[in-house]
Amino acid sequence: MESVKDSLLNRTSVRRYEREAIPQETMDFIYRAVENTPTSYNGQQFSVIDIDDQTIKEKLYEMTNQKQLKTCNRLLIFLSDYNKIAQLADRKGLEMPAITDCMDGVMLGIIDASLAMMSAVVAAQAAGLGSNCVGYLRTVDPAAVAELLKLPKGVFVVCGLALGVPREHPDLKPKQPASLMFHSNHYRQDTEKMVDELEQYDEVVKHYNATRSGGTSTNDWVAHILDYYDHATHYRILDYLKAQGYDVNH
């Protein structure tokens, strides 16, 4: 078992896995880590679908063309979930507030599911597994994914997490330095210096992409991320949320 320090600081995104199965005791450990995730109000506004059915993984691969979805041993889908508490409230004759109609309600579920996924990532890394977060499962075809996973109203996909025994060991990606990531007491006011540091980081990422093992590219940081933002502006997520019972109006 890796130390917490090694698990957090040496984590990389793994997309190729061995055929070896994950021991059940390892999955039990990951489950317990997820169950102990801190959540808003202890409301636990999330659920996880654990997929080991290769047919389902193949269908998700066909939708996304993300190879890690079909080669991983287990695929965890992290969901925002108000269905569970709504069902219990109905049984007990309690009125369910219109939490899914407000933006804060959407955020609660996303935050809880994201925290739970990070608990799973750290636990998997500590256990010697590789993992990869697949956000494309949220956006590729939300209605088709919801149908495949049989999601009820009040539930939507936040992110997927591929797990398996790693077949590759990618280089550690450079992250923004502490001076850019952490602000002291208030947001930085020295904008020109901050942008200088960002430009330096942009060059670091460009060099990493040009020299990394397992495939190189000419991508820098800023243009590559802006290209993703451009694609994201065309996703119809609000329409999907409304179809799942989230009539967000404030």
Side-chain angles (χ1 to χ4, degrees):
M1 188 73 69
E2 284 189 2
S3 68
V4 173
K5 180 179 179 180
D6 289 340
S7 298
L8 289 170
L9 300 187
N10 296 329
R11 183 211 62 80
T12 58
S13 293
V14 174
R15 292 175 173 82
R16 299 179 64 216
Y17 305 94
E18 303 289 354
R19 294 183 180 276
E20 182 180 344
I22 299 174
Q24 188 56 47
E25 64 179 335
T26 300
M27 290 306 304
D28 290 342
F29 168 57
I30 294 171
Y31 274 26
R32 290 176 62 193
V34 169
E35 290 166 0
N36 197 40
T37 297
T39 63
S40 299
Y41 319 122
N42 195 35
Q44 301 158 78
Q45 287 92 191
F46 76 95
S47 287
V48 186
I49 297 177
D50 181 1
I51 300 174
D52 61 3
D53 186 323
Q54 190 63 27
T55 301
I56 297 176
K57 290 190 288 178
E58 292 278 354
K59 288 180 179 178
L60 291 171
Y61 164 71
E62 290 170 6
M63 292 182 193
T64 63
N65 199 34
Q66 299 285 304
K67 63 184 178 181
Q68 61 271 38
L69 297 181
K70 68 175 181 178
T71 62
C72 67
N73 181 253
R74 304 288 275 268
L75 176 62
L76 304 183
I77 309 292
F78 288 81
L79 311 166
S80 172
D81 187 352
Y82 286 106
N83 175 65
K84 293 183 293 186
I85 195 167
Q87 293 295 332
L88 179 58
D90 181 65
R91 174 174 290 186
K92 299 187 71 172
L94 300 173
E95 182 179 354
M96 180 71 180
I99 187 68
T100 54
D101 292 355
C102 68
M103 194 61 206
D104 192 55
V106 175
M107 292 174 66
L108 284 177
I110 292 173
I111 291 169
D112 285 0
S114 300
L115 289 171
M117 184 173 67
M118 195 61 207
S119 295
V121 168
V122 175
Q125 183 79 19
L129 299 179
S131 67
N132 182 253
C133 301
V134 187
Y136 198 28
L137 286 171
R138 180 185 70 254
T139 58
V140 61
D141 190 341
V145 173
E147 182 178 3
L148 178 64
L149 301 180
K150 301 180 181 179
L151 303 185
K153 299 292 185 182
V155 180
F156 66 87
V157 172
V158 174
C159 199
L161 180 66
L163 298 175
V165 177
R167 183 180 289 185
E168 63 179 4
H169 297 281
D171 296 336
L172 195 65
K173 289 182 180 179
K175 304 295 185 181
Q176 291 180 16
S179 61
L180 289 171
M181 192 67 69
F182 300 96
H183 303 246
S184 179
N185 294 318
H186 55 72
Y187 201 90
R188 285 181 64 169
Q189 302 298 296
D190 55 339
T191 302
E192 288 297 323
K193 184 178 179 182
M194 183 175 71
V195 175
D196 287 343
E197 292 173 20
L198 284 166
E199 192 169 24
Q200 293 170 15
Y201 173 68
D202 194 55
E203 288 299 315
V204 169
V205 173
K206 186 175 182 179
H207 176 74
Y208 164 81
N209 287 329
T211 59
R212 66 184 181 182
S213 61
T216 60
S217 75
T218 59
N219 291 337
D220 62 3
W221 177 70
V222 63
H224 182 64
I225 299 302
L226 292 182
D227 183 63
Y228 168 75
Y229 290 168
D230 182 60
H231 282 85
T233 60
H234 301 288
Y235 297 143
R236 307 291 297 181
I237 300 300
L238 186 58
D239 291 343
Y240 165 61
L241 288 178
K242 289 182 178 179
Q244 286 300 111
Y246 286 72
D247 189 17
V248 182
N249 51 54
H250 65 287

